[in-house]
Structures are given as C-alpha cells and as structure tokens.
Amino acid sequence: MATEPVTLHETIEHFGPHRSYPTGARLDTAGDPDQVVKTHCCFCGQQCGIQLKVKDNAVVGFEPWEEFPFNKGMLCPKGIRRYLQGAHPDRLLTAYERDSSAPGGFRPLGYEAAIARVAGEIERIQATHGRDAFALLSGASLTTEKTYLMGKFARMCLRTANIDYNGRLCMVSAGAGNKKSFGIDRAANPWSDIPLADVILIAGANVAECAPITTNYVWQAREQGAKVIVVDPRITPLARTCDLFLPVKPGRDAALFNGILHLIIEHDWLDHEFIEQHTVGFDHVAEHVKPWTPQRTADVTGITERAIRQAAEMWGPAKTSFLLHARGIEHHSHGVQNVLGAINLVLASGRIGREGCGYATITGQANGQGGREHGQKCDQLPGGRDIDNPEHRAHVAGVWGISPDELPGKGVDAYEIFRKIDRGEIRGLLSICFNPKVSLPDNNFVARMLDKLDFYVAIDFFLNESARHADIVLPGSLQEEDEGLVTSAEGRVIKINKCLDPPGDARQDWRIIQDIARVLGRERGFTFDGPQEIFEELRRASAGGVADYAGITYARVEQEMGVFWPCPAVDHPGTPRLFERGSWNPVAQGSGPFYFPDGKARFNVATYSPPAEDVDSEYPIMLTTGRVVSHFLSGTQTRRIGPLVDQYPEPRVELHPQLAATLGIGDQDWTTVESRRGSCTVRAQIVKTIRPDTVFVPYHWSGLKSINQVTIAAQDPISKIPEYKVCAVRVSKAAEPPAYARQLEPQQ
Ligand SMILES: Nc1nc2c(c(=O)[nH]1)N[C@H]1C(S)=C(S)[C@@H](COP(=O)(O)OP(=O)(O)OC[C@H]3O[C@@H](n4cnc5c(=O)[nH]c(N)nc54)[C@H](O)[C@@H]3O)O[C@H]1N2
Ligand SMILES: Nc1nc2c(c(=O)[nH]1)N[C@H]1C(S)=C(S)[C@@H](COP(=O)(O)OP(=O)(O)OC[C@H]3O[C@@H](n4cnc5c(=O)[nH]c(N)nc54)[C@H](O)[C@@H]3O)O[C@H]1N2
Ligand code: SF4
Ligand SMILES: [Mo]
C-alpha cells in the first residue's frame, strides 16, 4: 500500500515543560571496570548477548559482545540502557510490611521476620480454607531454574493446584496452536534461516520496535531479493519498507489466512508430496476454506481483494519462505484459531524443516520460551509434560521422590485466579516477577481483588504497582545478581552470568522460595545450593519429555554459545532446526519429523469468529494495544531508566487524521478513550500509519495512564489469553486534562 513516510515516534516533542523523570542514580563510570561479564540483555526474548562492566559491586556500563552469534554486538535502545536500572534509588534493599501509619504505607521488616510471617500466613490460609486457597503467580523473565523451582514449590511444598504465570498473557495462544499442529511448542527454526527465505510473511508483529534485532535478519533477506509481506492494522516501522502491506481489521486474521489458503488451493500452489507424506487433516481444512472467497475475505478483513490475491501470489509459488507472528494475531479471544490459520499456510506450502524454510512465533519475555516449558503453567509439569497424564506425573514424582498421588491436578489460569479471589475461593497469593495490576485487562477489577485477599506477598526488586497492595514485600534479585539459563526466541538455551551480589537484604529469588519452604518445615526437595544444582535436577525431570534438556550442561552452553533443545544426551548436538526429514523425536520414535505418534503434522480448521466485543453505534471504534520501542511491559523497569523515559515519556493514543477530523481532535489534544469498563485520557498522536477505524495505545503505564482500565477480560477458550488486541471504544476530546497532568510529581 503506497503511503507517505510518516514517523510514529521520532517527531513528537515531549509534553509540556521537561519533567524531572526518575532516572538511574549517577554512575561513576570513570576508570577501568573490575570485570567485564559476558551475559544477556534482561529484557526481550531475543536475549541479545551483551558484556556488562562491573565496578565496586555495581554494573556501570556495557560493551558489545560481538562474537555472540544472534546479535553480533548489536543492541536496541533498551539493551544499551539496561545497566542503568540497578542503581536506581527505588531498588528494594529490605523486606517491607504493610503499615498504614508509616510513610508510603509500608515499614521495613527484617528478612527472617518477613519470611516467618509469609510461612505463617500460608499455613493459616491452607489450614482454614484448603491447600488450593493459596495461589502463586510467577513470571517468564525468571531463569529456567527459578521457573522450575516455582512449579515444584507449588506442587510439592504448598501442594496447591493454583500456580500460573505471566506468559498466560503472552505466549499461550502460540503455544497451544503449535502443539495442536506440530506437537511441540518452540520456534521451528533458528533465525539464520530467515535471510535464506524468498518470501517473509510477518503477521501481528511490530518487529522493529519489539524484536529489534530480528529486523536485521529480515533486511538481510531483502538484500538478497526476498519479498516481505506485513499484516497489521498499523504501518509499523518495518512495514514501511515492505513489499505488500495488508492493513487487517483487528481480530480478523483467521479470515485472512483462510482467504489466502483458498487462493493457494485454487491455483494449486501446494506441496502435494509433503501434504501426503507428512500431514493429516488437509481435506477437512480445504473444505473449510472453500467459502473464504477473496470477496468474502475482503469484506471481513477490510483488506482489498487485490491485496489478498497479491499475498497468495507471493506466498504460494515461493521456493523458500519464513512466517513470523507475534501477539498481534495471538492476543485475541480466538488467538489460537489465528495461529492455526497461519500454520496451515506453512503446512500447505511444505516449506518447513528445511534450510530457508521456517516458521516461528516471536517469543516476548526474556525467558518467554524456557519459562513456558518446565512446570509453572497451571496444567504443566517439567519437560513440557502434562499434569493430567499419569505417566508424566509418575516420572516427575519419581524425580522429586514423592508419590504421584501427592501431586495436585490442574489449576486455573492467571486471570481465573482473580475471579477465584472474587468468589472467596482463593484467599492468599504469592506473586513473583509479575505486575498484574498493570498488565491484566480490565485492571480496576484486579486492583480490587488484590485488596480483597487475606494475605498477599510480592517478590520483586522494585515496589511495582501490584506490590503496593501487598502485606509483605520481599526484595528479590535483578537478573545480573544471579546465574542461570534462559531459552531465547530461537530455542537456544543460553546462560545468564552473575555480575554482582544482591545489595542489602535482597536475596536471589530461589533462596527466598527455599527459605519459605524451610520455615514451613517442608524443606525436603528445597535445599539446592545454587542454580546449577537446580538445573541438574531439571535435566532429569525433563528427560524423555518433549522439552528435553537432559543433554544440556552449563559447560556446554558456555562452550557452544548456546544449545538448542531438544537435546536428550550430552553427545547430542542439540536441535537448531526442528522437523528435518528423517529426524528422530521421542514422540514419533522415528516414524516422521513431527511430534505426534505417527510423526505427521496436523492441519487444523481455523474458525473465524468476530471479536468478543465488536463495535456498535455506542462504541464505534476499535482499540488495539501494544508496545513502543523504549519501554518494556508494565514499565516497572524502563520507567526508571531516564533516557528511555525521555524517548517516550507518556502514553499517547495514535489515531488517523480522518478519524481525528471527524472527532474534532488535534495533534497533542487530551483525548479520552472509553469502553464499557473504564476510560483513559492521554494525548493524541495523529498518524497516517493506522487504520481510520482503529486507535492504538501502548500499555506500559499504571494508574490513570493505564489503558488496561479500558481493555476487555475476554479470553481464548483454549489458551486463556486475554483479548488485548481488540475491544470497542468511543473516543472524544477531553473536556480537561487528566488529574495526572495537573500534578508536577512524576507518575508511577
Ligand atoms: N520495546 C519492547 N519490546 C518488547 C516488549 C516491550 O514491552 N517493549 N515486550 C516483549 C514481549 S513480552 C512481547 S509479548 C513482544 C510483543 O511483540 P509484538 O507482538 O510485536 O508487539 P505488540 O505491540 O504487542 O503487537 C504487535 C503488533 O500487532 C498489531 N496488531 C494489533 N491488532 C492486530 C490484529 O488483530 N491483527 C494483526 N495482524 N496485528 C494486530 C499492532 O498494531 C502491533 O504492531 O515484545 C517483546 N519485546
Ligand atoms: N493492554 C495490554 N496489556 C498487556 C499486553 C498488551 O499487549 N496490551 N501484553 C501482555 C504481555 S505479552 C505480557 S508478557 C504481560 C507482561 O506483564 P507483567 O509480567 O506483569 O509485566 P512485567 O513488567 O514483566 O512485570 C514483571 C515484574 O517482574 C519484575 N522482575 C523482572 N525480572 C525479575 C526477576 O528476575 N526477579 C524478580 N523477583 N522480579 C523480576 C519486574 O520488576 C516487574 O515488576 O503484559 C500483558 N499485558
Ligand atoms: S532486542 Fe531485546 S534482548 Fe536485544 S537489546 Fe533489545 S530488549 Fe535487549
Ligand atoms: Mo509478552
């Protein structure tokens, strides 16, 4: 689609007078560092290699790590500034206890006293209301060892069914779709296959801002003549350079993929041999896409018939290809259907499991991949095992030295935990590495539920907005204060190296969990002396599972700059590219490359249904939400890094000039976005890069600046992911600036 080049973020001036943003403390970077540590960025799932400079037990700067193969020294603005957060004066150095008479509502508490209080409350709540009345919420920015320990702590120490994690808001539609289609939940290819592709289809991924280093892989492909197709309601920075832009109406991707497949079948751009030998279910899907004519697809998706045909013409006959998607197609009440539709295009082409032929969802959080494999999901045990499967239970119980009967069953998802609080079924909560008050949809409800709890303990290194509702806050560790493994978006297991000790009374997260187990008198299974020892157990617990880490060791990870799982034995090279013809896996046992007993991939019907809340005359505009390059997730970390705040200080609503004119809104005007759940007033940013029927607001802020006051808590029935990417709103020029704009104090 031809458009004038418009910059989304660069041309915007800061609002009003320059504020004194909370910045990292001044760092004395003069002089040589004591050591330079090779490790990885703490933010997104790309997990770029970085070297951190350490002086006097503080991280004082960084150097590129040019040998690390993924990013070869390149970093995005967040990676460059990441080192500034540790020195921030808000860093939690002690435990705190709620005390309404104390300044800020909390008073410091000795570490052991805080642990004793937590253990006492857990005992009391579980004794009075049953074991499942105490729930855990964990996070995928934690190392894999910590996520494994959290799952074990829930099931073996607290014996509660109710543990879930923030990847529920992120990776689960992709995970469910991948498991249904391929039997395994991991990027199918290393990123080195991207530059070898002739056509790259990017759906619902703002690559340049959210996976910035991946941009380089796409550009390498383009330099070799690859065609790039982007599907997004917004012309994202990468989309401005693409060959074909498909401005999909939010929530209509399954229809689009069905429409493209319809044309591919019509033109017989199919790999019949692959479909025959390596898949099941094609005929059923072919029947399902018959009614998805170009005209019907155009009517539903808002994309012209011509563009839909062009997409099929580019994708269909290509020799090699790569399909990438991210939350834009996944954050929906039918996110799994969208993912299945995307995968059907890959399977129909047969372009998978070969050089230059690939597919991946772009994992979001630092350890979004490793954090979804080893048992902190409500239905999962280590190794990607299923908590309902008797054999899987027996294996894990054996490693833990308990009877399978002692393992609880399936718990509920992260949002359902809050509904259970509402119903009085959950009375106590421990959260670690999660900020639900900002990041969950319809979050005024979430804040009320945090207050409703009998007892809430949060483990973090900053007092995030959720932790402000806690009874006890425990000071956890920053990424650079511990070692451990994480798995990058590619499926590469890599190592975070420790740079410094936690300051003050702060503790490494795994120590805090083990201390609670000790004081509860249930320390058996929780006496690890460090992450490596936890990992050695994880290797055994994962052995024979789909996510098999048995052959991975710390030494190998360092020597080989990462090992791709599955890796079942120490002499196994690891598996950078999944599904190669003739490959062996534990599920198929040699019968074929995919992770099902017959070794075949599954075509699944991708059913289109409209969003849970469609527009109407009362709420006529679609709201979609997401990210900007300089902030990360709920903003707890990046809102404390001055230069990143300067780059994008406040949330803004992006709207098209046509819509702005209809509504009488000018650039920078205070604008209210209102849904049936709540409203949010932010400055307008008028851009030609968005559909005129849609507005976009990034979600990295809290309180009155939080767009999750407005979003809807509808969830996908299979994955339980919330529908962050579409709800119905009305938009108007605000009568007056919001309360926060009138305060001079920086906002949390
Ligand atoms: N700068 C930055 N980078 C990050 C993060 C961050 O917070 N900040 N977070 C990390 C994490 S955890 C994640 S999950 C990833 C997220 O990475 P992305 O998924 O790439 O980012 P989002 O901004 O959530 O959404 C992506 C795109 O989806 C589009 N979109 C909205 N609705 C639809 C739709 O219905 N269909 C389609 N096709 N597109 C749609 C939006 O316009 C947006 O451009 O980023 C990771 N990297
Ligand atoms: N409207 C809207 N909402 C969204 C999204 C969207 O696109 N739109 N995206 C969703 C997505 S994809 C995601 S992933 C979620 C993320 O939502 P959250 O997971 O709630 O966001 P984070 O900011 O990662 O919160 C993590 C907290 O963990 C802390 N932390 C980080 N590392 C560590 C550690 O190693 N140890 C400890 N103890 N604490 C740590 C941070 O300080 C922070 O307070 O948000 C979701 N919410
Ligand atoms: S792309 Fe992701 S991992 Fe790399 S520097 Fe940026 S935030 Fe860090
Ligand atoms: Mo995410």
Side-chain angles (χ1 to χ4, degrees):
M1 195 177 85
T3 48
E4 290 173 41
V6 186
T7 46
L8 278 185
H9 306 304
E10 289 143 28
T11 57
I12 298 303
E13 288 169 18
H14 296 165
F15 305 123
H18 198 280
R19 297 230 184 94
S20 56
Y21 298 108
T23 56
R26 285 186 68 84
L27 291 167
D28 178 12
T29 51
D32 291 335
D34 302 333
Q35 51 170 335
V36 178
V37 180
K38 288 187 167 61
T39 185
H40 296 271
C41 173
C42 59
F43 291 127
C44 87
Q46 314 274 292
Q47 285 301 286
C48 295
I50 188 172
Q51 304 195 73
L52 293 181
K53 290 186 185 173
V54 184
K55 193 174 166 64
D56 300 331
N57 204 40
V59 177
V60 294
F62 75 96
E63 275 177 16
W65 177 8
E66 282 166 8
E67 299 77 41
F68 188 71
F70 178 77
N71 61 312
K72 299 191 172 72
M74 287 179 288
L75 295 165
C76 85
K78 291 183 299 305
I80 288 170
R81 307 293 183 188
R82 68 160 312 291
Y83 75 94
L84 287 166
Q85 63 173 330
H88 195 281
D90 286 353
R91 175 65 210 274
L92 292 173
L93 301 175
T94 173
Y96 284 91
E97 181 172 43
R98 166 167 304 287
D99 176 355
S100 50
S101 63
F106 287 96
R107 68 179 179 86
L109 186 67
Y111 177 79
E112 286 299 335
I115 295 288
R117 167 99 196 272
V118 173
E121 296 282 357
I122 291 173
E123 260 182 342
R124 186 183 60 75
I125 288 170
Q126 290 195 314
T128 320
H129 303 285
R131 292 195 191 109
D132 292 345
F134 201 92
L136 304 176
L137 284 174
S138 188
S141 297
L142 298 172
T143 59
T144 304
E145 291 84 346
K146 293 179 189 182
T147 64
Y148 169 82
L149 190 72
M150 286 305 295
K152 186 180 182 190
F153 178 71
R155 274 64 175 249
M156 182 171 160
C157 183
L158 301 192
R159 296 183 62 192
T160 174
N162 290 322
I163 174 166
D164 207 37
Y165 82 129
N166 59 8
R168 185 67 54 197
L169 325 183
C170 181
M171 301 306 311
V172 288
S173 290
N178 276 251
K179 276 167 78 175
K180 276 177 168 291
S181 302
F182 303 127
I184 182 171
D185 170 20
R186 203 208 89 179
N189 298 66
W191 263 218
S192 53
D193 275 330
I194 297 176
L196 306 176
D198 291 342
V199 56
I200 301 177
L201 196 163
I202 300 171
N206 181 359
V207 172
E209 296 199 76
C210 300
I213 302 304
T214 298
T215 314
N216 192 48
Y217 286 85
V218 176
W219 280 350
Q220 281 178 47
R222 230 185 31 192
E223 273 163 25
Q224 327 243 0
K227 299 275 184 239
V228 179
I229 308 171
V230 173
V231 186
D232 201 299
R234 300 187 305 145
I235 309 172
T236 60
L238 185 65
R240 282 172 224 151
T241 65
C242 72
D243 298 278
L244 179 66
F245 177 66
L246 304 178
V248 68
K249 248 188 193 175
R252 274 76 180 171
D253 295 271
L256 174 64
F257 298 137
N258 285 340
I260 296 176
L261 186 58
H262 172 106
L263 288 167
I264 283 175
I265 294 172
E266 189 178 286
H267 291 271
D268 198 16
W269 286 315
L270 297 163
D271 184 339
H272 292 284
E273 201 184 315
F274 175 85
I275 293 171
E276 176 74 18
Q277 285 183 11
H278 296 294
T279 70
V280 293
F282 175 73
D283 293 345
H284 198 192
V285 168
E287 201 51 41
H288 181 78
V289 300
K290 261 195 192 144
W292 285 100
T293 59
Q295 194 191 334
R296 179 170 171 218
T297 309
D299 287 347
V300 172
T301 61
I303 304 168
T304 61
E305 263 190 66
R306 189 165 161 264
I308 296 165
R309 286 183 188 281
Q310 282 177 313
E313 282 159 19
M314 279 185 190
W315 181 262
K319 292 268 176 299
T320 56
S321 62
F322 210 111
L323 193 151
L324 289 162
H325 59 78
R327 304 310 84 74
I329 72 163
E330 301 162 22
H331 276 161
H332 291 282
S333 58
H334 47 267
V336 177
Q337 303 303 316
N338 291 342
V339 170
L340 296 175
I343 294 175
N344 286 343
L345 290 182
V346 175
L347 292 177
S349 74
R351 293 189 300 258
I352 190 153
R354 287 186 278 135
E355 196 176 69
C357 292
Y359 160 82
T361 180
I362 309 177
T363 292
Q365 299 138 302
N367 194 20
Q369 182 63 53
R372 69 180 194 254
E373 297 162 1
H374 298 291
Q376 60 172 348
K377 292 171 79 168
C378 62
D379 55 357
Q380 186 199 54
L381 290 172
R385 286 189 165 85
D386 179 355
I387 203 161
D388 283 336
N389 179 317
E391 280 172 41
H392 293 190
R393 291 170 68 85
H395 173 83
V396 174
V399 174
W400 291 351
I402 56 174
S403 151
D405 306 337
E406 291 175 62
L407 287 174
K410 198 168 156 178
V412 297
D413 70 84
Y415 206 87
E416 193 62 25
I417 284 181
F418 286 88
R419 296 195 187 100
K420 273 184 172 282
I421 297 170
D422 197 20
R423 296 197 294 268
E425 294 163 23
I426 287 178
R427 302 295 189 115
L429 178 69
L430 179 151
S431 73
I432 178 168
C433 194
F434 199 156
N435 192 6
K437 183 180 169 187
V438 178
S439 55
L440 282 172
D442 192 7
N443 62 10
N444 285 319
F445 167 73
V446 173
R448 284 200 309 279
M449 291 308 108
L450 290 174
D451 286 336
K452 190 174 178 196
L453 285 161
D454 292 355
F455 180 73
Y456 173 33
V457 48
I459 307 174
D460 210 293
F461 42 75
F462 291 130
L463 188 68
N464 72 28
E465 292 77 11
S466 307
R468 284 172 190 277
H469 296 254
D471 299 288
I472 295 281
V473 181
L474 294 168
S477 46
L478 277 168
Q479 184 234 32
E480 55 264 40
E481 292 164 3
D482 205 353
E483 66 169 358
L485 302 183
V486 295
T487 305
S488 74
E490 294 181 292
R492 189 197 299 259
V493 180
I494 49 178
K495 182 152 182 278
I496 304 303
N497 284 312
K498 183 171 176 249
C499 301
L500 63 162
D501 295 317
D505 240 359
R507 299 280 197 286
Q508 283 141 345
D509 300 312
W510 58 271
R511 287 188 196 276
I512 298 177
I513 296 301
Q514 295 204 144
D515 285 340
I516 298 172
R518 172 176 49 80
V519 176
L520 280 168
R522 298 177 220 159
E523 66 185 326
R524 191 168 73 85
F526 300 92
T527 53
F528 297 107
D529 67 7
Q532 190 164 5
E533 206 188 336
I534 302 175
F535 186 67
E536 290 305 316
E537 186 180 286
L538 184 155
R539 288 175 63 193
R540 288 189 289 122
S542 74
V546 168
D548 194 333
Y549 278 47
I552 302 177
T553 63
Y554 273 27
R556 277 192 72 181
V557 167
E558 298 220 85
Q559 278 153 20
E560 299 170 31
M561 297 243 190
V563 179
F564 287 80
W565 74 264
C567 180
V570 279
D571 59 358
H572 186 284
T575 317
R577 187 185 295 117
L578 298 174
F579 319 135
E580 290 187 331
R581 310 298 180 268
S583 59
W584 189 92
N585 72 61
V587 187
Q589 305 271 347
S591 66
F594 295 96
Y595 285 65
F596 292 103
D598 60 6
K600 293 183 178 183
R602 266 62 180 153
F603 277 94
N604 290 283
V605 164
T607 310
Y608 165 74
S609 28
E613 183 185 61
D614 220 341
V615 290
D616 55 22
S617 55
E618 237 187 311
Y619 296 92
I621 297 163
M622 285 176 282
L623 165 70
T624 191
T625 64
R627 304 158 157 76
V628 295
V629 69
S630 59
H631 283 287
F632 194 65
L633 302 181
S634 70
T636 316
Q637 295 168 269
T638 47
R639 278 184 279 120
R640 290 186 166 88
I641 298 176
L644 295 179
V645 177
D646 284 345
Q647 195 172 333
Y648 197 103
E650 309 279 345
R652 301 162 196 157
V653 51
E654 287 180 9
L655 69 170
H656 191 274
Q658 272 172 25
L659 179 62
T662 316
L663 300 172
I665 294 171
D667 200 41
Q668 305 277 334
D669 280 353
W670 289 107
T671 302
T672 300
V673 180
E674 187 188 357
S675 73
R676 291 183 175 82
R677 290 144 308 271
S679 72
C680 185
T681 299
V682 296
R683 297 266 193 193
Q685 179 174 7
I686 298 180
V687 293
K688 294 177 184 157
T689 49
I690 187 165
R691 290 179 59 91
D693 54 8
T694 304
V695 296
F696 169 86
V697 183
Y699 87 101
H700 312 286
W701 290 266
S702 67
L704 295 176
K705 296 179 190 172
S706 171
I707 196 63
N708 274 329
Q709 301 173 99
V710 180
T711 52
I712 186 166
Q715 288 169 282
D716 183 290
I718 301 170
S719 70
K720 303 289 180 185
I721 208 165
E723 186 144 74
Y724 294 117
K725 289 295 187 269
V726 54
C727 71
V729 293
R730 49 187 176 220
V731 177
S732 57
K733 188 168 167 171
E736 54 176 8
Y740 68 79
R742 289 178 246 131
Q743 294 166 7
L744 279 175
E745 288 303 306
Q747 295 299 299
Q748 267 305 312

